[in-house]
Amino acid sequence: MPLTTHRCYHRWLAGALLLVLLLITPTAWACTVSPSTSANFGNISSFAITNTPHDTSAQPNAGIVCNGSLLALASNQRITATVSSANAGTLANTASGDAIPFRIFALATENEEIFLNTPYNYFNSVLIDLLGLIGGQSIDIPMEFRTLPTNNVAAGTYTDTLTVNWDWRICDIGLLGICLARTGTDTNTINLSLTVTPDCAIQAPDLNFGSSPLVAGFNPVTQTIDITCTKGSDYSVGLSDGQHPAANIRRMENNGHYLEYQLYKGTTGNDRWGNTGSERRPSSSADTNPGTPSGVTSQGFTYRGDILPGQNTPPAGTYTDMIVVDVIF
């Protein structure tokens, strides 16, 4: 009789040990964190970055992969990110001292915004199904970024480094549906970058010589080209030789007949304005607001157009040409 009692006791003890192991042993890893990842906004012109928000060029992940839960939203589950920024939430350019603010989203399409130094839990009613956090599959946790329209900034590379503190608690299913919690913490960095490219807005009004029955009757005409370029980006501006040049002479055309003319820098003198070498005009020589561009105020380049004397008067008609204005940084 004592022997029988002893065997029953051991069977009960073994069963108890097995139950304890099932309750305290997690069935799989929860999250794996990469030490560093990056997100790039790409190349954006200085005018575009001023007026329009821009997202990172591809949906980046946050550098963490998590094995989703086998339970529905319950049991205080979390994948929490707390983000801090080296530049207080801006992309900074050390050379110019300019900065571009940005926003952070867990999922930009749902406007799930992450605020600096504030924990954000990916296990929420909006994202739990969209990200597939239920079902146990591996999920690349996303984090997306969007610039805010900002004031005039210089061309160059803008960067920020984010530090993300992760904290997770994810459930597996134990006996009787009990949550077997897989918990952990880790930290990684996300390097953000954006390249602002120089750009210009050009206003080049038409030049009209008027009319005359004879070549000698045309008077010189002056006009101004206004150019607004990226802050701090020196440039030169050139004028093409037109559509019908002959050697170094520009010509307007009408049905195979030509009227020779020339374009000169400023209102006086015969310094030809062209598109190569010293014929170009640097921003420092602008007639209005000369010097390095401010990015806000336009710079004016005045020129004079002359119908060249000494040529025969061509047949009556309307003579035209097209000049290309080009800017080189």
Side-chain angles (χ1 to χ4, degrees), residues 185-197:
T185 60
D186 208 337
T187 300
N188 70 337
T189 58
I190 301 176
N191 300 304
L192 302 181
S193 63
L194 182 155
T195 299
V196 174
T197 57

Side-chain angles (χ1 to χ4, degrees), residues 46-293:
S46 63
F47 293 162
I49 200 67
T50 299
N51 299 316
T52 308
H54 292 270
D55 295 338
T56 39
S57 53
Q59 179 176 319
N61 65 63
I64 178 172
V65 178
C66 291
N67 196 26
S69 176
L70 294 173
L71 292 178
L73 189 63
S75 306
N76 297 319
Q77 295 185 95
R78 64 182 180 272
I79 301 174
T80 300
T82 305
V83 183
S84 60
S85 164
N87 297 323
T90 65
L91 299 156
N93 179 271
T94 55
S96 66
D98 293 333
I100 302 169
F102 63 89
R103 299 167 69 187
I104 309 171
F105 295 90
L107 201 62
T109 55
E110 298 296 326
N111 285 322
E112 284 293 302
E113 187 164 4
I114 298 175
F115 298 97
L116 290 178
N117 306 309
T118 303
Y120 177 88
N121 185 10
Y122 282 81
F123 258 103
N124 63 62
S125 57
V126 174
L127 298 186
I128 189 169
D129 290 327
L130 289 174
L131 298 183
L133 291 174
I134 298 301
Q137 66 268 40
S138 296
I139 304 298
D140 284 315
I141 302 300
M143 190 176 290
E144 304 177 33
F145 309 92
R146 179 182 299 161
T147 63
L148 289 168
T150 185
N151 293 326
N152 179 41
V153 294
T157 300
Y158 289 72
T159 62
D160 190 22
T161 299
L162 304 178
T163 300
V164 188
N165 293 314
W166 296 98
D167 177 23
W168 59 85
R169 182 180 188 273
I170 302 173
C171 287
D172 278 340
I173 299 175
L175 291 179
L176 304 177
I178 296 173
C179 171
L180 300 180
R182 296 169 287 153
T183 63
T185 60
D186 208 337
T187 300
N188 70 337
T189 58
I190 301 176
N191 300 304
L192 302 181
S193 63
L194 182 155
T195 299
V196 174
T197 57
D199 201 357
C200 287
I202 302 173
Q203 293 182 332
D206 293 339
L207 183 69
N208 191 334
F209 287 98
S211 62
S212 173
L214 299 172
V215 165
F218 288 102
N219 294 317
V221 180
T222 60
Q223 187 59 274
T224 298
I225 297 172
D226 288 308
I227 300 177
T228 305
C229 286
T230 300
K231 173 184 175 182
S233 296
D234 291 315
Y235 62 91
S236 68
V237 57
L239 300 183
S240 73
D241 289 338
Q243 296 174 307
H244 318 284
N248 211 32
I249 296 174
R250 295 178 169 103
R251 302 188 300 174
M252 290 179 281
E253 187 267 347
N254 176 42
N255 291 325
H257 301 285
Y258 299 96
L259 184 61
E260 297 176 348
Y261 72 101
Q262 198 56 274
L263 303 177
Y264 300 104
K265 300 173 184 177
T267 58
T268 60
N270 295 318
D271 190 2
R272 184 179 189 272
W273 192 358
N275 63 358
T276 60
S278 61
E279 289 190 344
R280 300 184 66 85
R281 296 196 63 180
S283 52
S284 59
S285 74
D287 297 292
T288 57
N289 300 314
T292 298

Side-chain angles (χ1 to χ4, degrees), residues 25-42:
T25 303
T27 60
W29 54 268
C31 296
T32 300
V33 179
S34 300
S36 179
T37 188
S38 61
N40 194 334
F41 289 90

